Amino acid sequence: MGVSGASGTPYAAAVLRALLEAGESVDLVVSRASRLTLLDETGLSFRDAHWRDDLREWLSRGADGKPDAFVVNLDGVRHWSAGDLAAGPSSGSYPAKGMLIVPASTACVAGVALGLSKDLLQRAASVTLKEGRPLVVAVREAPLGGQTLRHLVSLDDAGATVVPASPAFYAGATHIQDLVDFVAGRVLDAVGVPHTLYRRWAGELGGGSRTT
């Protein structure tokens, strides 16, 4: 899983928590730009030397910023520095089911579409595509310019799945975490990871407006 510098660090936290809850092992790459976004959106730092403590504090927070909203177990996470181009995920021989980029900035989208491999996140994405593994790109930007749209089409043509970070409201959201979890759930749906993050559409109008 890669986290790039777009706004939307709560999306990344929700996806990562759900992956771990589903029993998945995760190789994590947090780009340098995303660390600035994380600091701006949450006030938290992410440091390579203290990644486990920093990640635990980040994932324990809810989308509203309240601490200790979640209990997390990081046993299934392996962290790789974004500048480590000799890391395991930089090679096609490294075992992986696929890759999720959440959120994906327009710069990250461009880098992956053009095959720049300027850091480990982009290199791992290029490896994922060349090996024919699932790549999910949760782009978070508005509005989308023509250049970015062309890059997204290129990624789609290459076999990636583009999942815009666009919450839906039919699931009956009552809290910001519900909207975040909907996007996280759609990302996980794209790679077949089971979860219970949102109420699925059941073909019945008005279901989202009912109180339980």
Side-chain angles (χ1 to χ4, degrees):
M1 177 174 168
V3 184
S4 78
S7 177
T9 54
Y11 293 130
V15 169
L16 187 48
R17 282 194 301 264
L19 286 170
L20 296 174
E21 289 171 5
E24 298 287 347
S25 296
V26 180
D27 290 284
L28 179 65
V29 181
V30 181
S31 76
R32 290 186 174 90
S34 71
R35 300 173 194 220
L36 298 177
T37 305
L38 180 67
L39 182 63
D40 183 57
E41 293 185 344
T42 69
L44 300 175
S45 298
F46 190 93
R47 302 159 293 176
D48 287 340
H50 304 281
W51 72 268
R52 188 173 291 274
D53 291 337
D54 293 345
L55 183 61
R56 180 176 287 107
E57 185 173 3
W58 176 21
L59 298 190
S60 69
R61 291 198 179 193
D64 58 3
K66 292 182 179 179
D68 302 321
F70 298 95
V71 176
V72 294
N73 184 335
L74 301 181
D75 289 345
V77 180
R78 184 171 185 178
H79 168 259
W80 302 90
S81 173
D84 185 4
L85 290 176
S90 68
S91 172
S93 66
Y94 187 79
K97 295 179 180 179
M99 183 175 181
L100 312 175
I101 304 177
V102 186
S105 66
T106 55
C108 175
V109 166
V112 176
L114 297 173
L116 298 182
S117 295
K118 72 171 188 176
D119 61 10
L120 179 59
L121 194 159
Q122 291 184 16
R123 171 59 185 169
S126 294
V127 167
T128 301
L129 289 176
K130 81 179 182 67
E131 295 295 324
R133 299 167 183 161
L135 173 65
V136 180
V137 179
V139 61
R140 214 306 307 166
E141 185 59 86
L144 290 169
Q147 190 173 48
T148 298
L149 290 169
R150 286 187 286 273
H151 288 150
L152 291 172
V153 170
S154 295
L155 289 177
D156 180 77
D157 289 341
T161 300
V162 177
V163 180
S166 302
F169 296 87
Y170 62 77
T174 60
H175 190 276
I176 186 175
Q177 189 67 54
D178 298 327
L179 298 175
V180 168
D181 285 348
F182 180 88
V183 171
R186 295 300 289 150
V187 169
L188 295 170
D189 288 345
V191 287
V193 174
H195 66 86
T196 56
L197 290 175
Y198 68 88
R199 184 186 70 87
R200 297 183 181 277
W201 176 251
E204 183 179 357
L205 293 176
S209 62
R210 296 175 181 171
T211 57
T212 57

